[in-house]
Amino acid sequence: MTKHNVHASVKDEKLVMKRREQMVKGAVQLFKQKGFHRTTTREIAKAAGFSIGTLYEYIRTKDDVLYLVCDSIYDNVKERLEQALSLDKVSVLSLRQAIANYFKVMDELQEEVLIMYQEARSLSKESIPYVLKKELEMVQMFEDLLRQCAEDEGISLTEKEIGAIAHNIFVQGQMWGFRRWVMQKLYTLEEYTELQSNYLLYGMYMRKEEMGK
Amino acid sequence: MTKHNVHASVKDEKLVMKRREQMVKGAVQLFKQKGFHRTTTREIAKAAGFSIGTLYEYIRTKDDVLYLVCDSIYDNVKERLEQALSLDKVSVLSLRQAIANYFKVMDELQEEVLIMYQEARSLSKESIPYVLKKELEMVQMFEDLLRQCAEDEGISLTEKEIGAIAHNIFVQGQMWGFRRWVMQKLYTLEEYTELQSNYLLYGMYMRKEEMGK
Amino acid sequence: MTKHNVHASVKDEKLVMKRREQMVKGAVQLFKQKGFHRTTTREIAKAAGFSIGTLYEYIRTKDDVLYLVCDSIYDNVKERLEQALSLDKVSVLSLRQAIANYFKVMDELQEEVLIMYQEARSLSKESIPYVLKKELEMVQMFEDLLRQCAEDEGISLTEKEIGAIAHNIFVQGQMWGFRRWVMQKLYTLEEYTELQSNYLLYGMYMRKEEMGK
Amino acid sequence: MTKHNVHASVKDEKLVMKRREQMVKGAVQLFKQKGFHRTTTREIAKAAGFSIGTLYEYIRTKDDVLYLVCDSIYDNVKERLEQALSLDKVSVLSLRQAIANYFKVMDELQEEVLIMYQEARSLSKESIPYVLKKELEMVQMFEDLLRQCAEDEGISLTEKEIGAIAHNIFVQGQMWGFRRWVMQKLYTLEEYTELQSNYLLYGMYMRKEEMGK
DNA sequence: AATGAATGAGTTTTCATTCAT
DNA sequence: AATGAATGAAAACTCATTCAT
């Protein structure tokens, strides 16, 4: 793991994991409500179920909490994404299914994703590249899927095109949560999925038709 | 004006405008660098060129500064958007031009837009609806354009479809600045514009072809 | 003055001087009682007669208080030393008078001097040379006096001898305050002065006799 | 033993002694570097080679560590002083040797002595008299030596004179370490010893001469 | 209108000490 | 006897806001 470590005074690895889980869980709830800056370390400790002193046995600074939270969210998203995208056969149709699955994940985790985007700026200089790397890995999951699908279906796509489509899928998923105040007034998740899938995959359909001619 | 007013102790309207302009200009620079929360009111006053006491003659709380900044950025974006979208003839081709113009505006104002998205959460409950309204107005500009274009070109689009396309255009423009750390490594603005326009307008092209048959 | 400056947010130089005087006065009282480390910044502010916020308008860190206190004590000691040593005629007899005056100063400022010695270690790396310099200047005042006296009385002393005597005078004065718990039980100030002067000046007397032969 | 006891939970006396030795050894190193107040109990435990929990089995409070350290340093100094001053014959000449030996001890233990002087203030009210007593015992060692010497050489000295000389010897030894930043720039240990011995013993020489006449 | 000194509640962080295992 | 996780009081320092000039 290239994860840059957050120092803990406590030695027991198992315990560190457990306490950090509690901590992240509490912090996420608070960050959802009031954001990182308006949340105090005391509140985090309380939400985690231990004292302020104990909190600082597992982190060095408040910024560490933010990093741990972002890290955890990414891991969470990625894990669920891996499940959502593990399809046996990769046709254009199953690509639609993958997108739908992804959108559903983003719907469920929308608040967590919101935290990441709004507080990312406050991450320390050292944490940022690590977090960005994780994001790229996720986009790559879509790229792999697209490449496979293009191959299976005999559609030729340049790498740049694959990158752009993957990116657009990724962004459109985030938008559902990120701009929910408007999107979720206009569409149901199903409608949104249908609509966006069409646009996202128009390119692929057209290529297929072209080639079929 | 539906703008919910920020109270100023000073009566002279002209002066209030002038001072707030100074204030916003200074604050934007600071927010770009360190975000709203890490910027102090003293720094804002200094960057604006007057004393902390004077600053508080023109606002009531630090949150007012954020609102004023967001408000100003929106006005700025909207004004430039109006110029960018004022096309005499509205063909599908000119729609591409409008998108290109919009993306260029977003490229130039990317840091300001970033501020808006990252600090929006910190806006007071009362300010949020006003700010959201402004955003909807901008999306509507695209909807109008699309509706007009569809009519001119004889393409039939449902309102939901128009809304979705408008929204996608809007979002993709923001993404250019928002996710610049990856997008701007992969593409030039021109490439990005070309690529996204294709996907954004595939739907329209297809309809046209269908109808043309 | 080579004094390395302590930053103050307040601009008004006069006010800064006044507030720092208050601050040092309060801090000295507290340091006398409980030492630097056991004194809190809040206590210092209170003793100075203003709020904790105001205290920090005139210093950057608690260490600054210690520096300011040491600086002030040195200035105080030096000023009084200058008065005490300003003798019109410099005979061996008047040298005794100078020593007596110096010991009296040290008797009066014994607690301040105690602070300096016990808290010197806590001074920041940058402050130390400045403080040491001041001390050397004081020793030099004795050296000048001794050199003059030796010349006037026709006694030849090497620079090393002058340095050693000056230093011993200086140290013995400090000891009166520094080891008061024992010295002041055994001797009155007058007895101590008489006793130490004899030892300190034996060397000079002897030389004079030798030369007189 | 007049030593006021530091409470230990552990019963095994031997073990208590052993652990406290470890503790003091570690603490002295730390106090040398950063002083008592800037050293944490955790650091002390670590330097001693056991856990914080164990540390508290052998002391009640952090202040106990300071007392134990001071106590140990005194014992150390005293022991070496006893060796240094155990001369078979006591002439004025051998007195010079005793002073030289003492100065050498102080040179070797200068950092320990520094700790004692700078942290003495932090000792608890109850510990102070005990520590002062130890110091007086050391001065008395010089007094005994001087008294013996005076007797052997047939020099008559009042008790006050003996006390003053003994005290001066003691202080000058400490000064070598205490004011090393200046003394050790000006003199080598040998020069300093020579110079100070002269001044310290001038009185005795003179008496001898006087009496010899 | 403008200034900037004063305020003190609130924040992060530390660390001596305890106590269950 | 030894451990080290847990505790929370207390510390230094910040900063939005006020108000006398």
Side-chain angles (χ1 to χ4, degrees):
Chain A
M1 247 189 301
T2 28
K3 184 181 306 205
H4 77 95
N5 272 330
V6 172
H7 176 89
S9 302
V10 172
K11 309 262 174 85
D12 184 339
E13 278 287 348
K14 280 259 174 61
L15 191 55
V16 171
M17 298 262 290
K18 184 182 150 197
R19 291 280 179 258
R20 284 191 178 164
E21 242 166 69
Q22 292 177 270
M23 191 185 84
V24 166
K25 206 174 159 188
V28 166
Q29 292 311 315
L30 290 164
F31 292 178
K32 276 182 192 175
Q33 291 164 40
K34 11 201 261 173
F36 173 68
H37 282 104
R38 298 214 199 270
T39 301
T40 69
T41 50
R42 290 194 121 81
E43 287 171 322
I44 294 169
K46 198 176 175 190
F50 35 70
S51 70
I52 183 67
T54 300
L55 179 70
Y56 274 89
E57 291 286 310
Y58 296 93
I59 53 160
R60 266 225 238 274
T61 68
K62 192 186 172 191
D63 283 345
D64 284 346
V65 180
L66 182 58
Y67 170 72
L68 253 17
V69 161
C70 288
D71 193 44
S72 156
I73 292 175
Y74 260 123
D75 282 345
N76 201 341
V77 172
K78 210 184 162 191
E79 191 194 7
R80 302 190 56 167
L81 206 51
E82 268 156 7
Q83 289 177 351
L85 302 194
S86 70
L87 307 165
D88 32 331
K89 225 192 92 205
V90 190
S91 62
V92 171
L93 214 98
S94 67
L95 205 55
R96 294 186 86 99
Q97 187 56 48
I99 291 172
N101 288 349
Y102 165 57
F103 281 14
K104 214 166 153 210
V105 169
M106 293 317 268
D107 184 54
E108 281 158 21
L109 299 179
Q110 55 186 260
E111 285 185 301
E112 280 78 5
V113 173
L114 202 55
I115 289 176
M116 288 244 355
Y117 276 87
Q118 298 196 328
E119 313 295 1
R121 140 167 311 185
S122 300
L123 282 169
S124 71
K125 281 277 170 287
E126 308 93 66
S127 308
I128 290 174
Y130 175 64
V131 161
L132 294 190
K133 190 173 151 288
K134 280 225 167 149
E135 192 164 317
L136 280 185
E137 283 168 18
M138 278 189 271
V139 175
Q140 248 155 19
M141 287 169 66
F142 286 110
E143 290 181 354
D144 292 344
L145 209 64
L146 284 164
R147 208 173 289 116
Q148 176 99 41
C149 172
E151 197 178 322
D152 287 5
E153 302 259 348
I155 303 168
S156 85
L157 286 172
T158 67
E159 275 301 301
K160 280 218 171 178
E161 283 174 316
I162 287 175
I165 300 175
H167 207 271
N168 282 345
I169 294 173
F170 191 68
V171 164
Q172 296 296 356
Q174 291 180 329
M175 277 308 100
W176 175 251
F178 201 61
R179 295 175 63 83
R180 56 184 157 173
W181 54 272
V182 49
M183 308 311 286
Q184 301 183 15
K185 244 177 228 160
L186 296 174
Y187 315 102
T188 64
L189 176 58
E190 288 68 34
E191 283 174 328
Y192 183 79
T193 305
E194 172 73 12
L195 222 41
Q196 294 296 358
S197 299
N198 286 342
Y199 290 112
L200 287 165
L201 300 179
Y202 262 139
M204 295 201 75
Y205 279 121
M206 288 184 72
R207 288 294 164 94
K208 207 176 162 188
E209 276 170 31
E210 276 168 28
M211 314 201 98
K213 276 174 202 170
Chain B
M1 251 188 299
T2 29
K3 182 179 308 202
H4 78 95
N5 270 328
V6 171
H7 176 91
S9 305
V10 174
K11 300 293 163 212
D12 181 342
E13 275 289 348
K14 279 259 173 64
L15 191 55
V16 172
M17 298 266 286
K18 184 183 151 199
R19 292 275 180 263
R20 284 191 178 164
E21 237 167 72
Q22 292 176 273
M23 193 185 82
V24 167
K25 205 175 160 187
V28 165
Q29 292 311 314
L30 291 165
F31 292 178
K32 277 182 192 176
Q33 292 165 39
K34 15 201 249 171
F36 173 67
H37 282 102
R38 297 211 202 271
T39 300
T40 69
T41 51
R42 284 175 133 92
E43 287 172 322
I44 294 168
K46 197 176 173 190
F50 39 70
S51 71
I52 182 66
T54 301
L55 181 71
Y56 274 84
E57 294 289 316
Y58 296 93
I59 54 161
R60 264 226 240 273
T61 69
K62 190 186 173 191
D63 284 344
D64 285 346
V65 180
L66 182 59
Y67 170 71
L68 253 16
V69 161
C70 288
D71 192 44
S72 156
I73 293 175
Y74 260 124
D75 282 346
N76 199 343
V77 172
K78 209 183 164 194
E79 190 193 8
R80 302 191 54 167
L81 205 52
E82 268 157 6
Q83 287 177 352
L85 302 193
S86 70
L87 307 165
D88 31 330
K89 224 190 95 207
V90 191
S91 62
V92 171
L93 213 99
S94 67
L95 205 54
R96 292 185 86 98
Q97 187 56 49
I99 291 172
N101 289 348
Y102 166 57
F103 280 15
K104 215 167 152 207
V105 169
M106 292 317 269
D107 185 54
E108 282 158 21
L109 298 180
Q110 57 185 258
E111 285 188 300
E112 279 78 5
V113 173
L114 202 56
I115 289 176
M116 288 241 359
Y117 274 88
Q118 296 196 330
E119 312 296 1
R121 140 166 309 184
S122 300
L123 282 169
S124 69
K125 281 278 171 289
E126 309 93 65
S127 309
I128 289 173
Y130 174 64
V131 160
L132 295 189
K133 191 172 150 290
K134 280 225 166 148
E135 192 164 315
L136 280 185
E137 282 168 20
M138 279 188 271
V139 175
Q140 248 154 20
M141 287 168 68
F142 285 109
E143 290 181 352
D144 292 345
L145 209 64
L146 284 163
R147 207 173 291 112
Q148 176 99 39
C149 171
E151 196 179 321
D152 288 5
E153 301 259 349
I155 303 167
S156 85
L157 287 172
T158 66
E159 274 305 300
K160 279 219 173 178
E161 283 173 316
I162 287 175
I165 301 174
H167 210 274
N168 281 345
I169 294 173
F170 191 67
V171 165
Q172 294 298 356
Q174 291 181 330
M175 277 308 102
W176 174 250
F178 202 61
R179 296 176 62 83
R180 56 183 159 173
W181 55 274
V182 50
M183 308 311 288
Q184 301 185 12
K185 247 178 224 160
L186 296 174
Y187 313 105
T188 63
L189 176 58
E190 288 69 35
E191 284 174 329
Y192 183 78
T193 305
E194 171 74 13
L195 222 43
Q196 294 295 356
S197 297
N198 286 342
Y199 289 110
L200 287 164
L201 300 180
Y202 261 137
M204 295 200 73
Y205 280 120
M206 289 183 72
R207 290 295 165 93
K208 208 177 162 188
E209 276 170 31
E210 277 167 27
M211 314 202 97
K213 276 177 201 169
Chain C
M1 251 187 299
T2 30
K3 182 178 308 202
H4 77 95
N5 271 329
V6 172
H7 177 90
S9 303
V10 173
K11 308 264 175 87
D12 183 340
E13 279 287 347
K14 281 258 173 64
L15 191 56
V16 171
M17 299 262 289
K18 184 182 151 199
R19 291 279 179 260
R20 284 192 177 163
E21 245 166 66
Q22 292 177 269
M23 192 185 84
V24 167
K25 206 173 159 187
V28 166
Q29 293 311 314
L30 291 163
F31 292 177
K32 278 182 191 176
Q33 291 165 39
K34 12 200 254 171
F36 173 68
H37 282 103
R38 297 213 200 270
T39 301
T40 70
T41 52
R42 288 194 124 82
E43 287 171 321
I44 295 168
K46 197 176 175 190
F50 37 69
S51 70
I52 182 68
T54 300
L55 179 71
Y56 275 88
E57 291 286 310
Y58 296 93
I59 53 162
R60 266 226 239 272
T61 68
K62 191 186 173 192
D63 283 346
D64 284 345
V65 181
L66 183 58
Y67 170 72
L68 252 17
V69 161
C70 288
D71 193 44
S72 155
I73 293 175
Y74 261 123
D75 281 346
N76 201 342
V77 171
K78 209 184 164 192
E79 191 193 8
R80 301 190 56 167
L81 205 53
E82 268 156 6
Q83 288 176 351
L85 302 193
S86 69
L87 307 165
D88 31 330
K89 226 190 96 209
V90 189
S91 61
V92 171
L93 214 99
S94 67
L95 205 55
R96 293 186 86 99
Q97 187 55 49
I99 290 172
N101 288 348
Y102 166 58
F103 280 16
K104 216 167 150 206
V105 169
M106 292 317 270
D107 184 55
E108 283 158 18
L109 298 180
Q110 55 185 259
E111 284 186 302
E112 280 78 5
V113 173
L114 202 56
I115 289 175
M116 288 241 359
Y117 275 89
Q118 297 196 331
E119 313 296 1
R121 143 169 308 186
S122 300
L123 282 169
S124 71
K125 281 275 171 288
E126 310 91 66
S127 309
I128 288 173
Y130 174 65
V131 161
L132 295 189
K133 191 172 151 287
K134 281 225 168 149
E135 192 164 317
L136 281 184
E137 283 167 20
M138 280 189 269
V139 175
Q140 247 155 20
M141 288 169 67
F142 285 109
E143 289 182 352
D144 292 344
L145 210 64
L146 285 164
R147 208 174 289 115
Q148 176 99 38
C149 172
E151 196 178 321
D152 288 3
E153 302 257 351
I155 303 167
S156 84
L157 288 171
T158 67
E159 275 302 301
K160 280 218 168 176
E161 283 173 316
I162 286 175
I165 302 175
H167 210 272
N168 281 344
I169 294 172
F170 190 69
V171 165
Q172 294 297 356
Q174 291 181 331
M175 279 307 103
W176 174 250
F178 202 61
R179 295 175 63 83
R180 58 187 158 168
W181 54 273
V182 49
M183 309 311 288
Q184 300 183 15
K185 244 178 226 161
L186 297 173
Y187 314 103
T188 64
L189 177 58
E190 286 71 32
E191 283 174 329
Y192 183 78
T193 305
E194 173 73 12
L195 223 42
Q196 293 295 356
S197 298
N198 285 342
Y199 290 111
L200 287 165
L201 300 180
Y202 262 138
M204 295 201 73
Y205 281 121
M206 287 182 74
R207 288 295 165 92
K208 206 174 164 188
E209 276 168 31
E210 274 167 29
M211 313 201 100
K213 275 173 200 170
Chain D
M1 250 191 299
T2 28
K3 184 179 305 202
H4 78 94
N5 271 327
V6 171
H7 175 90
S9 306
V10 174
K11 300 293 163 212
D12 182 342
E13 276 288 346
K14 280 260 173 61
L15 191 54
V16 171
M17 298 265 288
K18 184 184 149 199
R19 290 278 179 260
R20 284 192 178 165
E21 239 167 70
Q22 292 176 272
M23 191 184 82
V24 167
K25 205 173 158 190
V28 166
Q29 292 311 313
L30 290 164
F31 292 179
K32 276 183 194 175
Q33 291 164 38
K34 12 199 257 173
F36 173 68
H37 281 102
R38 299 211 200 271
T39 300
T40 70
T41 51
R42 283 176 133 91
E43 287 170 322
I44 294 168
K46 196 177 176 190
F50 38 70
S51 72
I52 182 67
T54 302
L55 180 71
Y56 273 86
E57 293 289 315
Y58 296 93
I59 54 162
R60 266 229 237 274
T61 70
K62 191 188 173 190
D63 284 344
D64 285 346
V65 180
L66 182 58
Y67 170 72
L68 253 17
V69 162
C70 289
D71 193 44
S72 156
I73 292 175
Y74 262 122
D75 283 347
N76 199 343
V77 172
K78 209 182 163 193
E79 191 193 5
R80 302 191 57 167
L81 205 52
E82 267 157 6
Q83 288 177 352
L85 302 193
S86 70
L87 308 164
D88 31 330
K89 226 191 92 204
V90 190
S91 61
V92 172
L93 213 97
S94 66
L95 204 56
R96 293 187 83 99
Q97 187 56 49
I99 291 172
N101 288 350
Y102 166 56
F103 280 15
K104 217 167 149 207
V105 169
M106 292 318 268
D107 184 54
E108 281 158 20
L109 299 179
Q110 55 185 259
E111 284 187 303
E112 280 78 4
V113 173
L114 202 56
I115 288 175
M116 289 245 355
Y117 275 87
Q118 297 196 330
E119 313 295 1
R121 139 166 313 183
S122 299
L123 282 169
S124 70
K125 281 277 171 289
E126 309 92 65
S127 309
I128 288 173
Y130 174 64
V131 161
L132 294 189
K133 191 172 151 291
K134 281 228 167 148
E135 191 165 315
L136 279 185
E137 283 168 19
M138 278 189 272
V139 175
Q140 249 155 19
M141 287 169 67
F142 285 109
E143 289 181 353
D144 292 346
L145 208 66
L146 283 164
R147 208 173 290 114
Q148 175 101 39
C149 172
E151 198 178 321
D152 287 3
E153 301 257 349
I155 303 168
S156 82
L157 287 172
T158 66
E159 273 303 301
K160 281 219 169 176
E161 282 173 318
I162 287 175
I165 300 175
H167 206 273
N168 282 345
I169 293 173
F170 191 67
V171 164
Q172 295 297 357
Q174 291 180 330
M175 276 309 101
W176 175 250
F178 201 60
R179 295 176 63 83
R180 57 187 157 169
W181 55 273
V182 48
M183 308 311 286
Q184 300 185 14
K185 244 178 228 161
L186 297 174
Y187 314 104
T188 65
L189 176 57
E190 288 70 35
E191 283 174 329
Y192 182 79
T193 305
E194 171 74 12
L195 222 44
Q196 294 295 358
S197 297
N198 285 343
Y199 289 111
L200 288 164
L201 300 179
Y202 260 138
M204 296 201 72
Y205 280 121
M206 289 183 73
R207 288 296 165 92
K208 206 176 164 188
E209 275 169 30
E210 274 167 29
M211 314 201 97
K213 275 169 198 171

